[in-house]
Amino acid sequence: MKGGTRNMTEFSDLWEPQADPEMWIVAAAAVLALLLVAYGPAWRVSRNIVTIAHEGGHALVALLTGRKLDGIRLHSDTSGVTVSRGRPEGAGMVLTALAGYVAPPLLGLLFAWLLELGRITLMLWFSLLLLAGMLVMIRNVFGVVSVVTTGGIIFAVSWFAPTDVQAAFAYFGASFLLLAGARPVIELQRLRAMRQAPSSDADQLSQLTGVPGLVWVFVFGLVALASLVLGGNLLIPAETFEAPSFSWTAP
């Protein structure tokens, strides 16, 4: 991948490995992602990305387990709902309910793995493929606007931006999903403690399996934490921890 602005003229470019960005780019992307997660006003906007990944996780697993997907709705309050039909119980329903909260951190981990392999462009275009598949099933205007806007930004960066900008954007996206995986879990348990989320994913899983909802919240949090640790390790360029080499010549 050469410097400057590049156009995606050949699909073979998707498979070409790219050099790791400089450490300051990786660090800046992680700091920006952390600010968006930690700062309340920014989180209320950026949380829409997590909702897209959350509902996309429900939808993908519903299809993979043989359920019929009726549609997805994304709302301006960053909530969402995915409606599927099939057996009201059994492994397919359990996996579908489980997929929502674990999807964002696991997607971040997948992105981190692709970036560790140097597949920056592939990671961006894989994101576009996921969004395109999800767009087909969106059933409300706000959802369409959210997905199209997100996809448009990713497309513009992958098609027009210089390589350093592409790398920074890709590392920011992966870092954000990894860091943002835990906050919705904390918010979920807070709502459950105040009895304001009686139909949450954790409570649906409790009804389906007989396992207490708090245990499922713990599972969500464990997946988010494990993904953050593993993904963070993948995102740090390998040469960062290489021991310095010394040479010595006898007099």
Side-chain angles (χ1 to χ4, degrees), residues 19 24 26 48 63 72-73 82 90 92 99 101 107 176 204 214 231 240 244:
W24 74 266
V26 177
N48 283 290
L63 291 174
I72 304 168
R73 290 179 176 270
T82 299
Y101 278 95
L107 185 60
F176 175 77
Q204 290 182 40
L214 184 60
T240 303

Side-chain angles (χ1 to χ4, degrees), residues 9-79:
T9 55
E10 297 181 5
F11 283 106
S12 60
D13 291 342
L14 295 175
W15 309 102
E16 293 180 0
Q18 291 126 300
D20 290 335
E22 295 182 36
M23 187 58 204
W24 74 266
I25 294 178
V26 177
V31 169
L32 178 58
L34 180 60
L35 287 175
L36 290 184
V37 173
Y39 181 54
W43 173 246
R44 283 191 286 273
V45 176
S46 61
R47 197 184 192 283
N48 283 290
I49 304 300
V50 180
T51 302
I52 291 174
H54 179 113
E55 300 304 331
H58 282 313
L60 178 60
V61 173
L63 291 174
L64 292 176
T65 56
R67 298 180 63 81
K68 179 176 175 56
L69 186 61
D70 285 342
I72 304 168
R73 290 179 176 270
L74 305 174
H75 303 132
S76 58
D77 63 355
T78 72
S79 66

Side-chain angles (χ1 to χ4, degrees), residues 7-246:
N7 290 326
M8 298 287 294
T9 55
E10 297 181 5
F11 283 106
S12 60
D13 291 342
L14 295 175
W15 309 102
E16 293 180 0
Q18 291 126 300
D20 290 335
E22 295 182 36
M23 187 58 204
W24 74 266
I25 294 178
V26 177
V31 169
L32 178 58
L34 180 60
L35 287 175
L36 290 184
V37 173
Y39 181 54
W43 173 246
R44 283 191 286 273
V45 176
S46 61
R47 197 184 192 283
N48 283 290
I49 304 300
V50 180
T51 302
I52 291 174
H54 179 113
E55 300 304 331
H58 282 313
L60 178 60
V61 173
L63 291 174
L64 292 176
T65 56
R67 298 180 63 81
K68 179 176 175 56
L69 186 61
D70 285 342
I72 304 168
R73 290 179 176 270
L74 305 174
H75 303 132
S76 58
D77 63 355
T78 72
S79 66
V81 60
T82 299
V83 179
S84 63
R85 287 184 290 164
R87 290 184 58 194
E89 55 187 19
M93 188 62 200
V94 171
L95 291 173
T96 299
L98 176 63
Y101 278 95
V102 303
L106 289 179
L107 185 60
L109 180 58
L110 173 61
F111 286 170
W113 175 66
L114 289 174
L115 294 177
E116 195 271 339
L117 294 177
R119 266 59 179 192
I120 295 173
T121 305
L122 178 61
M123 175 245 167
L124 295 174
W125 278 67
F126 180 67
S127 304
L128 289 174
L129 179 63
L130 292 177
L131 289 171
M134 188 173 178
L135 182 61
V136 177
M137 299 308 301
I138 296 292
R139 295 293 182 262
N140 67 324
V141 174
F142 181 83
V144 171
V145 172
S146 295
V147 172
V148 170
T149 300
T150 303
I153 293 172
I154 296 173
F155 174 78
V157 170
S158 66
W159 191 275
F160 299 110
T163 56
D164 284 348
V165 175
Q166 288 187 26
F169 184 82
Y171 274 78
F172 162 73
S175 299
F176 175 77
L177 288 173
L178 291 170
L179 289 166
R183 181 159 180 173
V185 179
I186 296 171
E187 294 172 345
L188 168 64
Q189 184 53 32
R190 185 183 300 123
L191 291 174
R192 292 184 72 252
M194 295 186 295
R195 301 183 183 280
Q196 294 182 6
S199 299
S200 70
D201 291 356
D203 293 290
Q204 290 182 40
L205 284 164
S206 179
Q207 294 173 7
L208 289 167
T209 64
V211 177
L214 184 60
V215 174
W216 289 109
V217 174
F218 177 78
V219 171
F220 298 158
L222 186 62
V223 171
L225 181 60
S227 297
L228 177 58
V229 173
L230 294 173
N233 185 61
L234 290 172
L235 289 176
I236 299 174
E239 61 268 18
T240 303
F241 297 111
E242 289 181 356
S245 58
F246 299 93

